[in-house]
Amino acid sequence: MIFILAATLGLCCMDCRSMMAQELQVQESVVREQEHVTKPSKAGGLKTKTLSQNQVKLSWKKSAGASAYKVYKRYPGSKYKLVHATTKTSCVIPIRTDRTYRFMVVPYVKKNDKTVKGQADTIVYRLNRVTISAAGDCTLGSDSRYNQKFISMYDSQKDPAYFLRKVKPIFETDDVTIVNFEGTLTNANDRAIKKFTFKGREEFVQILKTGSVEVVNMANNHTYDYKQVGFEDTVRVLKKNNIPYCIDPTIAYKQVDGTRVAFLGYNALGSNATKEKIKTGIQKAKKDGADLIVVSFHWGIEGDHYPTNLQKDFGHYAIDQGADLVLGHHPHVLQGVEQYKDSYIVYSLGNFCFGGNSNPSDKDTMIYRQSFYVDNNGKKLDDSKARIIPCSLSGHTGYNDFQPYPLGGSAKKTLLERIRRFSSGMHVTIDEKGMIN
């Protein structure tokens, strides 16, 4: 009996131990199931959308298994920094212009105090501010049949930097300065049969270089003052000095921190410019990857402060085709500024560093300056900033010293009021600082 009882008790103990082991296995299995967390899938499809000069929106596809996302950013010289945590698939991040960012989105799931991260997705983003300054007619030379005062001034100063010295602080703080180059740089003597023919020495190109002028428009009625030879000489000098020029069909391009800017030029006097040519040029600029397109027109009536119907028609058409800014010259005086759709038309920039007249009766001129905001996807913001900087083309009222300078005080106020009057009905307001709204 004792043996049977002991055996029975032994079997019972074995059964108990087996049951306890099974329960322990079940409990461990439950714990393992509780502890196991599936790794989220990659947060793919990361995109950026520029909202303003200081904000960008990030969006991405929902990650399978993720309960939330962490967003990091870094820029050259820094480490990744957590800037946002969200359960949504988008967020808005503060930014600065002219800085390259790398954003990283990490999906994760948190369960039972355990966090499991999925594969991160990254994207590079940059918002460029591209500032363009534009000034009017620059004739670096003279017509020897009337006077040689510009050339005499150059020789007496013995310094090409003299001419644009007072506006260089403006030009050198932008990204691109463009002027209307009206004349030739040549030694040719066979002039065209016309009232005025302008030429200067090849060395006068240093006026542009020392003055921080990066692009010139050559589409005007003085390009061939010394016929084909004079034109080719001028082009050769500009190329030698790395100054791009525009004259249909030649387009000038400038690269500004990844933003490609195209400059097109058309002489709209007579039948030289047509809508078909304008359309073709703008389409070519787009095909060549231009993010910004600036179109210069030589047009209008000399001495007239208001645009003709042709000026308005061509200006509007260029913007309809994709131009971001339209610049005008030829009247030798200022005309108004118009807002058409989301772009501006500066109908006439007037004279600037103008050797073609030793004493213009109207010495008012200006620098037009506009900052565009373009991201690395080519998207442009609508809140570009434009400004008029009132100037005089000479420091003397009785003659032209060929040294334009910014106006101040009452003279600045008076000129801004003139430009407001010229711009009446053109959908712009110009404040006391020259800002255009």
Side-chain angles (χ1 to χ4, degrees), residues 75-279:
Y75 48 87
S78 73
K79 297 180 180 180
Y80 273 116
K81 178 182 178 182
L82 178 65
V83 292
H84 204 76
T86 179
T87 58
K88 300 179 179 179
T89 55
S90 66
C91 65
V92 175
I93 304 296
I95 57 167
R96 288 173 52 183
T97 57
D98 299 327
R99 174 178 282 182
T100 301
Y101 293 94
R102 181 176 289 275
F103 296 110
M104 179 170 65
V105 176
V106 181
Y108 71 96
V109 60
K110 191 172 183 179
K111 190 173 183 181
N112 301 325
D113 296 325
K114 185 175 182 180
T115 300
V116 177
K117 298 178 181 179
Q119 184 179 351
D121 196 7
T122 63
I123 193 169
V124 173
Y125 172 82
R126 182 182 176 92
L127 180 63
N128 283 338
R129 177 177 55 199
V130 180
T131 300
I132 297 172
S133 297
D137 301 339
C138 288
T139 297
L140 308 185
S142 57
D143 187 325
S144 60
R145 296 173 298 180
Y146 300 94
N147 68 76
Q148 298 243 46
K149 291 187 177 180
F150 185 92
I151 295 172
S152 296
M153 181 67 78
Y154 184 95
D155 291 338
S156 65
Q157 291 295 326
K158 297 181 175 59
D159 182 7
Y162 159 82
F163 295 90
L164 298 178
R165 179 174 292 139
K166 293 181 179 178
V167 293
K168 183 178 180 179
I170 298 169
F171 291 166
E172 67 184 358
T173 57
D174 61 25
D175 294 298
V176 185
T177 298
I178 179 172
V179 301
N180 177 47
F181 187 81
E182 194 154 34
T184 61
L185 298 175
T186 182
N187 293 319
N189 293 313
D190 185 15
R191 70 175 83 221
I193 301 174
K194 53 191 298 192
K195 185 175 181 180
F196 295 105
T197 54
F198 300 128
K199 77 170 182 176
R201 298 196 293 261
E202 291 185 8
E203 66 191 85
F204 290 2
V205 72
Q206 295 303 319
I207 296 171
L208 302 174
K209 293 191 72 174
T210 59
S212 193
V213 173
E214 288 84 21
V215 177
V216 297
N217 169 69
M218 289 184 65
N220 58 63
N221 59 321
H222 289 282
T223 303
Y224 291 93
D225 278 358
Y226 282 80
K227 302 184 178 179
Q228 186 68 26
V229 172
F231 170 72
E232 291 176 358
D233 285 345
T234 306
V235 167
R236 174 179 52 78
V237 172
L238 292 171
K239 286 183 175 180
K240 181 179 177 181
N241 288 274
N242 298 313
I243 299 176
Y245 65 93
C246 58
I247 177 172
D248 180 52
T250 300
I251 301 174
Y253 292 99
K254 292 293 288 185
Q255 199 78 12
V256 182
D257 293 326
T259 298
R260 188 165 171 82
V261 188
F263 295 88
L264 291 75
Y266 298 92
N267 181 3
L269 303 179
S271 58
N272 293 306
T274 65
K275 286 186 175 180
E276 186 60 32
K277 288 182 178 180
I278 296 167
K279 180 179 180 180

Side-chain angles (χ1 to χ4, degrees), residues 357 359-363:
N357 191 330
N359 188 24
S361 58
D362 188 343
K363 295 180 176 61

Side-chain angles (χ1 to χ4, degrees), residues 171-423:
F171 291 166
E172 67 184 358
T173 57
D174 61 25
D175 294 298
V176 185
T177 298
I178 179 172
V179 301
N180 177 47
F181 187 81
E182 194 154 34
T184 61
L185 298 175
T186 182
N187 293 319
N189 293 313
D190 185 15
R191 70 175 83 221
I193 301 174
K194 53 191 298 192
K195 185 175 181 180
F196 295 105
T197 54
F198 300 128
K199 77 170 182 176
R201 298 196 293 261
E202 291 185 8
E203 66 191 85
F204 290 2
V205 72
Q206 295 303 319
I207 296 171
L208 302 174
K209 293 191 72 174
T210 59
S212 193
V213 173
E214 288 84 21
V215 177
V216 297
N217 169 69
M218 289 184 65
N220 58 63
N221 59 321
H222 289 282
T223 303
Y224 291 93
D225 278 358
Y226 282 80
K227 302 184 178 179
Q228 186 68 26
V229 172
F231 170 72
E232 291 176 358
D233 285 345
T234 306
V235 167
R236 174 179 52 78
V237 172
L238 292 171
K239 286 183 175 180
K240 181 179 177 181
N241 288 274
N242 298 313
I243 299 176
Y245 65 93
C246 58
I247 177 172
D248 180 52
T250 300
I251 301 174
Y253 292 99
K254 292 293 288 185
Q255 199 78 12
V256 182
D257 293 326
T259 298
R260 188 165 171 82
V261 188
F263 295 88
L264 291 75
Y266 298 92
N267 181 3
L269 303 179
S271 58
N272 293 306
T274 65
K275 286 186 175 180
E276 186 60 32
K277 288 182 178 180
I278 296 167
K279 180 179 180 180
T280 299
I282 292 174
Q283 286 180 340
K284 183 178 187 305
K286 290 180 179 179
K287 185 177 180 180
D288 290 346
D291 300 300
L292 288 173
I293 298 174
V294 179
V295 179
S296 292
F297 285 103
H298 208 68
W299 57 11
I301 300 172
E302 290 190 12
D304 199 330
H305 292 288
Y306 296 92
T308 64
N309 288 333
L310 181 141
Q311 286 176 265
K312 294 177 182 178
D313 188 31
F314 273 9
H316 293 178
Y317 183 79
I319 291 171
D320 288 339
Q321 297 305 308
D324 298 290
L325 172 63
V326 172
L327 304 171
H329 24 76
H330 176 64
H332 296 293
V333 293
L334 296 176
Q335 292 185 347
V337 178
E338 179 185 10
Q339 180 177 353
Y340 176 70
K341 297 184 175 179
D342 293 324
S343 300
Y344 291 114
I345 304 170
V346 187
Y347 280 108
S348 177
L349 287 157
N351 292 326
F352 200 64
C353 185
F354 190 64
N357 191 330
S358 61
N359 188 24
S361 58
D362 188 343
K363 295 180 176 61
D364 285 345
T365 186
M366 70 179 186
I367 298 169
Y368 175 85
R369 187 177 175 105
Q370 185 169 354
S371 293
F372 299 87
Y373 295 85
V374 187
D375 66 22
N376 58 320
N377 297 314
K379 174 182 168 55
K380 295 180 286 286
L381 291 181
D382 293 334
D383 56 347
S384 296
K385 305 299 182 185
R387 178 188 176 196
I388 290 170
I389 303 173
C391 298
S392 173
L393 60 80
S394 174
H396 301 270
T397 58
Y399 66 93
N400 189 355
D401 64 6
F402 313 111
Q403 192 180 54
Y405 73 99
L407 294 173
S410 61
K412 174 182 177 180
K413 183 178 179 181
T414 299
L415 182 47
L416 283 174
E417 185 53 44
R418 287 191 78 196
I419 299 171
R420 288 190 195 100
R421 187 165 67 252
F422 301 152
S423 305

